[in-house]
């Protein structure tokens, strides 16, 4: 007796198989999209943190270099501190020195460093020569604050204890950045001679 014949199956996929495959592909695509978004956010966060660190380091290096040159080749005072108590942008630091590097002849530098906003409302670190136009030095600096100093005898001096004619070993500064972070730096002032201290508000 001959076995009953079964109809041969046609090639291809059933509708159910196609639907299952499409559902799996959608799940995989959604997972990959979520992964790419997380990777993008992580990369952006790392970039922001790196930018902040670089900006903070650059602000500290710029100010430290200028303060440490104060008084070189000049009569005292090589350094003037304008302490503006209560001012939102902080204080002003004026340096005077003789610049010799990469110059045919030495040139006298007289510049004031301070924080202010530009015409677009963005905070900047500025450099301004006497009777000159302020020059933006570094974007994102919200304030420059004199915290205190170290006197020549090695004693720590608070901001309130700083007085006109005092000789300092180092100046303690805090630079505030737009994102709320701040960087502290100590800059040597041995060349500056007696420091001039100005308090426009008349506070002690």
């Amino acid at each position: 007796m001959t076995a009953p014949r079964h109809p041969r199956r046609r090639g291809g996929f059933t509708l159910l198989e196609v639907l299952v495959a499409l559902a799996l592909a959608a799940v995989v695509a959604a997972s990959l999209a979520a992964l790419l978004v997380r990777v993008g956010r992580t990369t952006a966060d790392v970039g922001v943190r790196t930018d902040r660190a670089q900006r903070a380091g650059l602000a500290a290096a710029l100010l430290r270099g200028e303060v440490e040159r104060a008084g070189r080749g000049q009569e005292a005072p090589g350094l003037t501190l304008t302490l503006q108590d209560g001012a939102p942008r902080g204080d002003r630091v004026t340096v005077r020195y003789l610049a010799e590097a990469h110059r045919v002849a030495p040139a006298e530098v007289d510049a004031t460093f301070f924080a202010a906003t530009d015409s677009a409302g963005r905070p900047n670190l500025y450099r301004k020569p006497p009777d000159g136009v302020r020059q933006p030095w570094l974007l994102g600096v919200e304030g420059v604050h004199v915290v205190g100093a170290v006197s020549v005898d090695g004693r720590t001096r608070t901001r309130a204890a700083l007085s006109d004619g005092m000789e300092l070993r180092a100046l303690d500064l805090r630079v505030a950045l737009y994102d709320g972070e701040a960087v502290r730096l100590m800059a040597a002032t041995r060349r500056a001679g007696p420091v001039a201290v100005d308090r426009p508000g008349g506070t002690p």
Side-chain angles (χ1 to χ4, degrees):
M1 186 173 175
T2 310
R5 282 184 164 185
H6 295 287
R8 285 194 298 179
R9 184 177 178 182
R10 293 180 180 178
F13 300 100
T14 66
L15 179 60
L16 179 61
E17 290 172 333
V18 171
L19 290 176
V20 169
L22 288 175
L24 289 174
V27 170
V28 171
S31 300
L32 285 175
L35 178 61
L36 289 174
V37 169
R38 285 198 298 272
V39 170
R41 286 177 181 168
T42 302
T43 303
D45 289 343
V46 170
V48 169
R49 287 196 296 269
T50 301
D51 180 65
R52 288 174 183 168
Q54 289 176 341
R55 193 183 316 109
L58 182 56
L62 286 172
L63 284 174
R64 182 183 290 113
E66 291 296 308
V67 171
E68 291 184 349
R69 284 187 284 270
R72 183 173 64 188
Q74 294 286 300
E75 294 182 3
L79 182 65
T80 299
L81 306 177
T82 304
L83 304 182
Q84 306 179 121
D85 295 323
R89 301 295 176 191
D91 308 308
R92 293 177 173 241
V93 178
T94 302
V95 299
R96 299 176 191 85
Y97 61 89
L98 203 62
E100 299 173 343
H102 311 298
R103 296 176 184 269
V104 176
E108 183 179 341
V109 173
D110 187 343
T112 300
F113 295 87
F114 59 95
T117 53
D118 60 18
S119 58
R122 299 173 302 181
N124 278 274
L125 174 64
Y126 283 95
R127 177 187 188 274
K128 184 180 182 299
D131 303 321
V133 178
R134 68 180 190 176
Q135 305 154 353
W137 259 40
L138 187 61
L139 183 66
V141 175
E142 280 204 322
V144 177
H145 305 269
V146 176
V147 178
V150 178
S151 58
V152 289
D153 59 4
R155 295 175 60 187
T156 300
R157 304 286 182 173
T158 64
R159 172 192 175 88
L162 298 179
S163 60
D164 196 46
M166 182 179 286
E167 292 198 33
L168 304 176
R169 179 182 295 177
L171 188 64
D172 185 2
L173 294 172
R174 181 172 65 87
V175 181
L177 303 179
Y178 81 96
D179 52 13
E181 296 186 7
V183 59
R184 288 280 292 272
L185 64 114
M186 293 290 286
T189 56
R190 293 188 183 92
R191 297 173 173 173
V195 174
V197 177
D198 181 27
R199 296 179 185 269
T203 54

